[in-house]
Amino acid sequence: MTYLLAIGERAYSSWSLRGWLAFAAFGVEVETVLAPMDDPRFAETLAGFAPARTVPALRIEGVGVIWDTLAIAETLVERHPEVAFWPADPARRGLARALAAEMHSGFAALRGACPMDLRCAYAGFEAGAAVRADLARIETLWATGRAAAGEGPWLLGAYSLADVFHAPVAARIAAYGLPVGAAARDYVAAHLAHPAFLAWRAEALRDPRRLPTAGAGHAELPWPGPGA
């Protein structure tokens, strides 16, 4: 079977990171086509993935196009029953789905104030009240997931799609030095060291494009995770 995934700039497109991790973190092969969001040819590239208007967008040979990240993830679950995308235990699986769904639909303040940037970290970024409220809720979700997991760094036990959906938020917390507690920082560190995340970031650093983010105007710091 052939999977073709349209993605945006790897350093900045958080949804593209989620879409790609749903494949790469579980050993499912996928080809990618780059559709930079600020490129005037974006619409032309995405025409091959109609009716999608955003990235990521997935084209499956003989099936068609799927363009929502959660829909892409659940399609992979259906097509690859041999892969442990979700926890096997029904209670953990339900919680994992809830954690992924809330991240998929919420946290607008954090998303708006802190666009993902995988190139470096920034000094002196001040989180406003709305961002702090989002962070508090995220810490509650992470604590709930890890409490149900027992040992290990991930939500609900082994790495799952719940972790995929929270990976870009971990990257935001790292890049902007956002205020979270020690347990959340440990979870962030686990994401930054994950092999699939490292592979994605390595490709991001090869792309010469630079886009303005919320860190513009702040002093740049070294990336706080392992090197690419």
PDB file of all heavy atoms in Angstrom, residues 127-148:
ATOM      1  N   ALA A 127       4.538  34.240  29.597  1.00  0.00           N
ATOM      2  CA  ALA A 127       3.236  33.635  29.316  1.00  0.00           C
ATOM      3  C   ALA A 127       2.142  34.440  29.998  1.00  0.00           C
ATOM      4  O   ALA A 127       2.222  34.724  31.196  1.00  0.00           O
ATOM      5  CB  ALA A 127       3.215  32.203  29.813  1.00  0.00           C
ATOM      6  N   GLY A 128       1.116  34.804  29.232  1.00  0.00           N
ATOM      7  CA  GLY A 128      -0.017  35.526  29.778  1.00  0.00           C
ATOM      8  C   GLY A 128      -0.954  34.617  30.548  1.00  0.00           C
ATOM      9  O   GLY A 128      -0.774  33.392  30.610  1.00  0.00           O
ATOM     10  N   ALA A 129      -2.007  35.216  31.103  1.00  0.00           N
ATOM     11  CA  ALA A 129      -2.932  34.469  31.954  1.00  0.00           C
ATOM     12  C   ALA A 129      -3.622  33.344  31.192  1.00  0.00           C
ATOM     13  O   ALA A 129      -3.796  32.232  31.719  1.00  0.00           O
ATOM     14  CB  ALA A 129      -3.965  35.415  32.558  1.00  0.00           C
ATOM     15  N   ALA A 130      -4.034  33.607  29.958  1.00  0.00           N
ATOM     16  CA  ALA A 130      -4.743  32.578  29.186  1.00  0.00           C
ATOM     17  C   ALA A 130      -3.821  31.412  28.858  1.00  0.00           C
ATOM     18  O   ALA A 130      -4.240  30.237  28.899  1.00  0.00           O
ATOM     19  CB  ALA A 130      -5.310  33.180  27.903  1.00  0.00           C
ATOM     20  N   VAL A 131      -2.568  31.703  28.550  1.00  0.00           N
ATOM     21  CA  VAL A 131      -1.611  30.629  28.278  1.00  0.00           C
ATOM     22  C   VAL A 131      -1.344  29.829  29.542  1.00  0.00           C
ATOM     23  O   VAL A 131      -1.277  28.589  29.516  1.00  0.00           O
ATOM     24  CB  VAL A 131      -0.300  31.209  27.712  1.00  0.00           C
ATOM     25  CG1 VAL A 131       0.775  30.118  27.617  1.00  0.00           C
ATOM     26  CG2 VAL A 131      -0.537  31.818  26.341  1.00  0.00           C
ATOM     27  N   ARG A 132      -1.231  30.510  30.663  1.00  0.00           N
ATOM     28  CA  ARG A 132      -1.005  29.800  31.931  1.00  0.00           C
ATOM     29  C   ARG A 132      -2.194  28.901  32.271  1.00  0.00           C
ATOM     30  O   ARG A 132      -2.016  27.801  32.815  1.00  0.00           O
ATOM     31  CB  ARG A 132      -0.725  30.802  33.048  1.00  0.00           C
ATOM     32  CG  ARG A 132       0.652  31.449  32.952  1.00  0.00           C
ATOM     33  CD  ARG A 132       0.869  32.495  34.039  1.00  0.00           C
ATOM     34  NE  ARG A 132       2.186  33.074  33.957  1.00  0.00           N
ATOM     35  CZ  ARG A 132       3.276  32.607  34.595  1.00  0.00           C
ATOM     36  NH1 ARG A 132       3.152  31.526  35.368  1.00  0.00           N
ATOM     37  NH2 ARG A 132       4.445  33.183  34.465  1.00  0.00           N
ATOM     38  N   ALA A 133      -3.385  29.346  31.955  1.00  0.00           N
ATOM     39  CA  ALA A 133      -4.563  28.507  32.194  1.00  0.00           C
ATOM     40  C   ALA A 133      -4.518  27.252  31.321  1.00  0.00           C
ATOM     41  O   ALA A 133      -4.848  26.147  31.776  1.00  0.00           O
ATOM     42  CB  ALA A 133      -5.832  29.300  31.925  1.00  0.00           C
ATOM     43  N   ASP A 134      -4.114  27.425  30.066  1.00  0.00           N
ATOM     44  CA  ASP A 134      -3.957  26.260  29.189  1.00  0.00           C
ATOM     45  C   ASP A 134      -2.893  25.308  29.742  1.00  0.00           C
ATOM     46  O   ASP A 134      -3.071  24.081  29.735  1.00  0.00           O
ATOM     47  CB  ASP A 134      -3.573  26.699  27.777  1.00  0.00           C
ATOM     48  CG  ASP A 134      -4.773  27.068  26.920  1.00  0.00           C
ATOM     49  OD1 ASP A 134      -5.909  26.919  27.401  1.00  0.00           O
ATOM     50  OD2 ASP A 134      -4.565  27.501  25.773  1.00  0.00           O
ATOM     51  N   LEU A 135      -1.790  25.863  30.207  1.00  0.00           N
ATOM     52  CA  LEU A 135      -0.716  25.027  30.744  1.00  0.00           C
ATOM     53  C   LEU A 135      -1.182  24.243  31.978  1.00  0.00           C
ATOM     54  O   LEU A 135      -0.828  23.077  32.145  1.00  0.00           O
ATOM     55  CB  LEU A 135       0.498  25.882  31.098  1.00  0.00           C
ATOM     56  CG  LEU A 135       1.274  26.484  29.920  1.00  0.00           C
ATOM     57  CD1 LEU A 135       2.315  27.467  30.424  1.00  0.00           C
ATOM     58  CD2 LEU A 135       1.941  25.390  29.085  1.00  0.00           C
ATOM     59  N   ALA A 136      -1.972  24.899  32.817  1.00  0.00           N
ATOM     60  CA  ALA A 136      -2.477  24.202  34.003  1.00  0.00           C
ATOM     61  C   ALA A 136      -3.350  23.015  33.606  1.00  0.00           C
ATOM     62  O   ALA A 136      -3.262  21.929  34.206  1.00  0.00           O
ATOM     63  CB  ALA A 136      -3.259  25.178  34.878  1.00  0.00           C
ATOM     64  N   ARG A 137      -4.208  23.221  32.597  1.00  0.00           N
ATOM     65  CA  ARG A 137      -5.045  22.119  32.134  1.00  0.00           C
ATOM     66  C   ARG A 137      -4.202  21.004  31.517  1.00  0.00           C
ATOM     67  O   ARG A 137      -4.456  19.808  31.746  1.00  0.00           O
ATOM     68  CB  ARG A 137      -6.072  22.636  31.116  1.00  0.00           C
ATOM     69  CG  ARG A 137      -6.951  21.565  30.492  1.00  0.00           C
ATOM     70  CD  ARG A 137      -7.746  20.807  31.536  1.00  0.00           C
ATOM     71  NE  ARG A 137      -8.585  19.762  30.912  1.00  0.00           N
ATOM     72  CZ  ARG A 137      -9.258  18.849  31.601  1.00  0.00           C
ATOM     73  NH1 ARG A 137      -9.210  18.827  32.929  1.00  0.00           N
ATOM     74  NH2 ARG A 137      -9.996  17.953  30.960  1.00  0.00           N
ATOM     75  N   ILE A 138      -3.198  21.372  30.756  1.00  0.00           N
ATOM     76  CA  ILE A 138      -2.320  20.375  30.142  1.00  0.00           C
ATOM     77  C   ILE A 138      -1.598  19.569  31.215  1.00  0.00           C
ATOM     78  O   ILE A 138      -1.491  18.334  31.119  1.00  0.00           O
ATOM     79  CB  ILE A 138      -1.320  21.065  29.191  1.00  0.00           C
ATOM     80  CG1 ILE A 138      -2.054  21.537  27.932  1.00  0.00           C
ATOM     81  CG2 ILE A 138      -0.171  20.124  28.826  1.00  0.00           C
ATOM     82  CD1 ILE A 138      -1.255  22.485  27.081  1.00  0.00           C
ATOM     83  N   GLU A 139      -1.129  20.225  32.257  1.00  0.00           N
ATOM     84  CA  GLU A 139      -0.473  19.485  33.337  1.00  0.00           C
ATOM     85  C   GLU A 139      -1.436  18.516  34.010  1.00  0.00           C
ATOM     86  O   GLU A 139      -1.052  17.411  34.402  1.00  0.00           O
ATOM     87  CB  GLU A 139       0.124  20.458  34.355  1.00  0.00           C
ATOM     88  CG  GLU A 139       1.368  21.182  33.844  1.00  0.00           C
ATOM     89  CD  GLU A 139       2.210  21.773  34.953  1.00  0.00           C
ATOM     90  OE1 GLU A 139       2.935  21.003  35.619  1.00  0.00           O
ATOM     91  OE2 GLU A 139       2.129  23.001  35.163  1.00  0.00           O
ATOM     92  N   THR A 140      -2.693  18.923  34.148  1.00  0.00           N
ATOM     93  CA  THR A 140      -3.701  18.021  34.713  1.00  0.00           C
ATOM     94  C   THR A 140      -3.883  16.800  33.818  1.00  0.00           C
ATOM     95  O   THR A 140      -3.940  15.651  34.298  1.00  0.00           O
ATOM     96  CB  THR A 140      -5.043  18.746  34.884  1.00  0.00           C
ATOM     97  OG1 THR A 140      -4.885  19.808  35.832  1.00  0.00           O
ATOM     98  CG2 THR A 140      -6.135  17.803  35.363  1.00  0.00           C
ATOM     99  N   LEU A 141      -3.969  17.013  32.502  1.00  0.00           N
ATOM    100  CA  LEU A 141      -4.126  15.893  31.569  1.00  0.00           C
ATOM    101  C   LEU A 141      -2.925  14.962  31.625  1.00  0.00           C
ATOM    102  O   LEU A 141      -3.071  13.734  31.657  1.00  0.00           O
ATOM    103  CB  LEU A 141      -4.318  16.413  30.150  1.00  0.00           C
ATOM    104  CG  LEU A 141      -5.561  17.263  29.873  1.00  0.00           C
ATOM    105  CD1 LEU A 141      -5.605  17.655  28.398  1.00  0.00           C
ATOM    106  CD2 LEU A 141      -6.829  16.536  30.268  1.00  0.00           C
ATOM    107  N   TRP A 142      -1.735  15.542  31.629  1.00  0.00           N
ATOM    108  CA  TRP A 142      -0.536  14.716  31.659  1.00  0.00           C
ATOM    109  C   TRP A 142      -0.441  13.924  32.956  1.00  0.00           C
ATOM    110  O   TRP A 142      -0.087  12.739  32.947  1.00  0.00           O
ATOM    111  CB  TRP A 142       0.706  15.583  31.472  1.00  0.00           C
ATOM    112  CG  TRP A 142       0.835  16.141  30.085  1.00  0.00           C
ATOM    113  CD1 TRP A 142      -0.013  15.931  29.029  1.00  0.00           C
ATOM    114  CD2 TRP A 142       1.867  17.001  29.604  1.00  0.00           C
ATOM    115  NE1 TRP A 142       0.434  16.612  27.921  1.00  0.00           N
ATOM    116  CE2 TRP A 142       1.580  17.283  28.236  1.00  0.00           C
ATOM    117  CE3 TRP A 142       2.982  17.583  30.179  1.00  0.00           C
ATOM    118  CZ2 TRP A 142       2.391  18.107  27.461  1.00  0.00           C
ATOM    119  CZ3 TRP A 142       3.796  18.406  29.411  1.00  0.00           C
ATOM    120  CH2 TRP A 142       3.505  18.662  28.057  1.00  0.00           C
ATOM    121  N   ALA A 143      -0.762  14.553  34.066  1.00  0.00           N
ATOM    122  CA  ALA A 143      -0.719  13.849  35.350  1.00  0.00           C
ATOM    123  C   ALA A 143      -1.737  12.715  35.374  1.00  0.00           C
ATOM    124  O   ALA A 143      -1.463  11.620  35.894  1.00  0.00           O
ATOM    125  CB  ALA A 143      -0.974  14.830  36.488  1.00  0.00           C
ATOM    126  N   THR A 144      -2.913  12.952  34.800  1.00  0.00           N
ATOM    127  CA  THR A 144      -3.945  11.916  34.749  1.00  0.00           C
ATOM    128  C   THR A 144      -3.475  10.735  33.907  1.00  0.00           C
ATOM    129  O   THR A 144      -3.607   9.568  34.303  1.00  0.00           O
ATOM    130  CB  THR A 144      -5.243  12.483  34.168  1.00  0.00           C
ATOM    131  OG1 THR A 144      -5.688  13.572  34.985  1.00  0.00           O
ATOM    132  CG2 THR A 144      -6.328  11.420  34.101  1.00  0.00           C
ATOM    133  N   GLY A 145      -2.917  11.030  32.741  1.00  0.00           N
ATOM    134  CA  GLY A 145      -2.449   9.969  31.863  1.00  0.00           C
ATOM    135  C   GLY A 145      -1.302   9.185  32.455  1.00  0.00           C
ATOM    136  O   GLY A 145      -1.272   7.948  32.385  1.00  0.00           O
ATOM    137  N   ARG A 146      -0.367   9.877  33.068  1.00  0.00           N
ATOM    138  CA  ARG A 146       0.791   9.176  33.619  1.00  0.00           C
ATOM    139  C   ARG A 146       0.441   8.419  34.889  1.00  0.00           C
ATOM    140  O   ARG A 146       1.040   7.392  35.193  1.00  0.00           O
ATOM    141  CB  ARG A 146       1.926  10.168  33.858  1.00  0.00           C
ATOM    142  CG  ARG A 146       2.457  10.783  32.557  1.00  0.00           C
ATOM    143  CD  ARG A 146       3.653  11.668  32.773  1.00  0.00           C
ATOM    144  NE  ARG A 146       4.843  10.885  33.042  1.00  0.00           N
ATOM    145  CZ  ARG A 146       6.021  11.431  33.361  1.00  0.00           C
ATOM    146  NH1 ARG A 146       6.143  12.747  33.451  1.00  0.00           N
ATOM    147  NH2 ARG A 146       7.071  10.674  33.589  1.00  0.00           N
ATOM    148  N   ALA A 147      -0.553   8.895  35.640  1.00  0.00           N
ATOM    149  CA  ALA A 147      -0.994   8.156  36.828  1.00  0.00           C
ATOM    150  C   ALA A 147      -1.607   6.822  36.433  1.00  0.00           C
ATOM    151  O   ALA A 147      -1.470   5.826  37.147  1.00  0.00           O
ATOM    152  CB  ALA A 147      -2.001   8.986  37.616  1.00  0.00           C
ATOM    153  N   ALA A 148      -2.271   6.799  35.284  1.00  0.00           N
ATOM    154  CA  ALA A 148      -2.884   5.560  34.805  1.00  0.00           C
ATOM    155  C   ALA A 148      -1.868   4.633  34.154  1.00  0.00           C
ATOM    156  O   ALA A 148      -2.154   3.460  33.907  1.00  0.00           O
ATOM    157  CB  ALA A 148      -3.996   5.882  33.807  1.00  0.00           C
TER     158      ALA A 148
END
